[in-house]
Amino acid sequence: MARAALLCALLAGCAATVAPPPPATLRTPAAWRGPAAAGPGAPALERQWWQAFGDPALSALVTTALANNGDLRIARARLIEYRSRVAIARAAQRPNVSADAEPTRTRTLDYTNTPLVINVFQAEFQASYELDVWGRLAAQTSAARAQYQAERAAEDAAALSVAGSVASGYLNLRGLDAQLELTEATLKLREQSRDLAQRQFEVGYSSRLEWLQAQAEYQTTAELVPQLKRSIFEQENALAILAGGNPGPIARGAALTDLQPPPVPAGLPSDLLRRRPDIARAELNVVAAHANLAATRDQLLPSFKLVGGGGIEAFRFQDFVNSPLALWHLTAAVSAPIFEGGRVQAQTDAAAAQRDEAIYTYENTVRSAYAETENGLAAIFRLGEQAVQNDARRATAAETLRIAHNRYRNGYASYLEELDAQRTLYSADVGRLQLRARMLIASVDLYRAMGGGWSGTEDAEKKD
């Protein structure tokens, strides 16, 4: 027994040398640094977070995209491929049984140079099984399984990205719709102002300059309408492609002013390690790299295989059917590389480098996730502050326009003052709509950054 243990230890020493992994440099923050993180937040991160906007059209569009998006279909096909790779790796740990039948007819010469025809009927089966003494085959299976799980996490990451892109695109579309509605309403007011300036010029109450400036302002506003319509057209086509269809119109739901951003989701930085599928994928890639390294390292170790077979043989078909001769063989084989020119060590070094790459990638992915979440929290907080200032600016612009209109109507000021006040109010109104759309899209970005909609590692384990 002691000799066997000593022999195994000596053989294990034949494995290729492996460089140690790099030291960890990742540090998880204790809390978010953004001011928005100090609020109460939502109690939980909803799986279908896009429903929190309360727009059935948005929910239906995201659902359609998750079912039909082209990138997601590619990811699902790749997942089937990696599931098959796991089955291939598992098959290497099981016996391999094959069978063949060979009827042969041979014309040869006997010792007197007389032609001789011989018929041989033979059927044989063969079974082989490799003893996984060093765990190399098990390591290959573990690597394949980790790669499959990583691809499943990649599919979840793609689904999260598609849902976020569709939600952001839809909210941007509703923002463009609101801007177009505002611009068309403003265009009607500009038309009325132009007609009024024209009548006052014709009766001699005002100069031709005021009429031309009113006309120019009308034309400037009219120029914005086709620009917005083109942007809406292109945004609809982009959303239709994301949803897996052809370019075309998109159904609308709630107006931009009726959409409310969902509460800021609560959570700590450590929660991202289980919420975000891209982090899970990077972690599983590290696991797969470790397993692949173990399998590559052990190629220098001897392999043990049992081979057995049996069959029947006869020289006449009648004998083959009724009373053939039984044959069998049993072989125990041991094989080990003697000289391979450093190939296995080089492969081991390459596998170790791939392991290190996976570790660095994991750390970079986590850091990027922290930054995206911090940026999302800060964006919501700062956009809220900006909205307060925008409301004050709009109120000031509205009051300025009221005073300018009264001064112009009573003859105390020229039309240019009212025209300038109209421009300021329109700019504030456009800024308000754009700011509201940005706040809604910032909520989407934050939910995407915090891994909203993904099932998580616990549910992922239940799928296997």
Side-chain angles (χ1 to χ4, degrees):
M1 193 68 169
R3 292 179 179 177
L6 178 60
L7 179 60
C8 289
L10 291 174
L11 291 175
C14 297
T17 58
V18 178
T25 60
L26 184 65
R27 298 293 181 268
T28 301
W32 302 114
R33 61 187 291 259
L45 198 63
E46 297 183 19
R47 179 168 299 183
Q48 296 181 336
W49 48 267
W50 50 85
Q51 295 184 355
F53 289 93
D55 190 336
L58 170 60
S59 299
L61 187 61
V62 173
T63 301
T64 301
L66 292 178
N68 302 324
N69 179 264
D71 292 336
L72 287 180
R73 296 175 69 182
I74 294 174
R76 294 181 186 117
R78 186 181 297 113
L79 190 60
I80 296 175
E81 173 193 348
Y82 276 81
R83 185 187 296 122
S84 301
R85 293 186 181 186
V86 175
I88 294 173
R90 285 174 177 168
Q93 296 180 267
R94 298 169 181 169
N96 184 19
V97 181
S98 62
D100 62 84
E102 297 180 0
T104 305
R105 183 178 179 86
T106 304
R107 185 176 186 274
T108 184
L109 298 176
D110 62 8
Y111 68 96
T112 62
N113 290 330
T114 302
L116 180 65
V117 177
I118 301 175
N119 295 325
V120 178
F121 301 91
Q122 187 178 36
E124 182 181 7
F125 79 93
Q126 182 171 308
S128 62
Y129 176 69
E130 181 174 351
L131 302 177
D132 193 17
V133 177
W134 317 109
R136 179 178 58 85
L137 299 179
Q140 291 177 346
T141 302
S142 297
R145 185 182 298 109
Q147 289 172 348
Y148 162 68
Q149 292 172 344
E151 288 303 315
R152 186 173 57 197
E155 180 194 2
D156 288 326
L160 178 57
S161 176
V162 167
S165 298
V166 171
S168 297
Y170 177 83
L171 294 172
N172 183 56
L173 177 64
R174 298 306 283 139
L176 292 172
D177 290 338
Q179 289 184 54
L180 178 61
E181 182 179 355
L182 172 65
T183 302
E184 289 177 338
T186 303
L187 183 61
K188 293 181 180 179
L189 296 177
R190 296 287 189 272
E191 183 180 10
Q192 296 173 4
S193 298
R194 180 200 61 182
D195 295 342
L196 176 61
Q198 182 179 4
R199 288 195 300 269
Q200 290 180 337
F201 164 70
E202 291 173 350
V203 298
Y205 185 77
S206 63
S207 67
R208 186 169 182 267
L209 175 63
E210 293 179 345
W211 171 43
L212 291 177
Q213 287 178 326
Q215 174 71 9
E217 190 65 22
Y218 169 80
Q219 292 170 341
T220 299
T221 306
E223 185 181 358
L224 296 176
V225 173
Q227 294 179 10
L228 288 170
K229 288 183 177 180
R230 186 195 68 181
S231 298
I232 290 172
F233 183 83
E234 293 175 352
Q235 186 64 55
E236 284 185 319
N237 288 341
L239 282 172
I241 295 299
L242 272 176
N246 294 325
I250 298 297
R252 308 307 204 265
L256 181 70
T257 54
D258 296 332
L259 292 170
Q260 295 296 328
V264 176
L268 297 174
S270 58
D271 293 338
L272 293 186
L273 301 181
R274 65 177 179 85
R275 281 179 174 172
R276 285 189 51 137
D278 57 340
I279 293 179
R281 182 192 185 191
E283 181 181 3
L284 288 166
N285 282 334
V286 173
V287 175
H290 274 289
N292 184 61
L293 175 59
T296 304
R297 174 201 61 196
D298 294 340
Q299 289 184 84
L300 285 175
L301 297 173
S303 60
F304 304 88
K305 182 176 292 188
L306 297 177
V307 180
I312 55 176
E313 183 179 273
F315 293 100
R316 295 188 306 171
F317 183 75
Q318 182 177 0
D319 295 337
F320 180 78
V321 174
N322 298 320
S323 57
L325 180 65
L327 306 173
W328 62 270
H329 65 88
L330 179 63
T331 305
V334 179
S335 62
I338 301 299
F339 178 76
E340 36 72 44
R343 176 183 57 83
V344 174
Q345 183 60 57
Q347 289 177 342
T348 302
D349 294 340
Q354 292 174 350
R355 174 205 60 192
D356 296 346
E357 292 174 12
I359 292 174
Y360 297 143
T361 301
Y362 170 77
E363 293 183 348
N364 289 340
T365 302
V366 174
R367 291 191 181 98
S368 297
Y370 289 156
E372 290 174 4
T373 306
E374 291 279 16
N375 292 340
L377 291 169
I380 289 178
F381 183 78
R382 299 306 177 189
L383 287 173
E385 290 183 330
Q386 187 177 348
V388 174
Q389 298 300 323
N390 178 266
D391 290 341
R393 178 166 72 98
R394 202 237 174 237
T396 301
E399 179 64 13
T400 301
L401 177 60
R402 186 188 67 81
I403 295 174
H405 179 71
N406 290 335
R407 285 171 55 82
Y408 172 67
R409 184 180 59 183
N410 295 324
Y412 294 117
S414 68
Y415 178 69
L416 300 181
E417 287 188 4
E418 181 176 353
L419 188 62
D420 185 65
Q422 289 178 357
R423 293 195 195 105
T424 303
L425 180 59
Y426 175 74
S427 175
D429 286 335
V430 171
R432 167 183 280 189
L433 294 176
Q434 293 176 342
L435 185 58
R436 185 167 187 82
R438 289 174 59 192
M439 292 178 67
L440 294 170
I441 294 174
S443 297
V444 173
D445 293 338
L446 179 59
Y447 269 77
R448 179 163 47 185
M450 299 191 75
W454 185 50
S455 56
T457 54
E458 293 85 357
D459 291 346
E461 289 299 327
K462 296 177 182 178
K463 295 179 183 179
D464 283 338

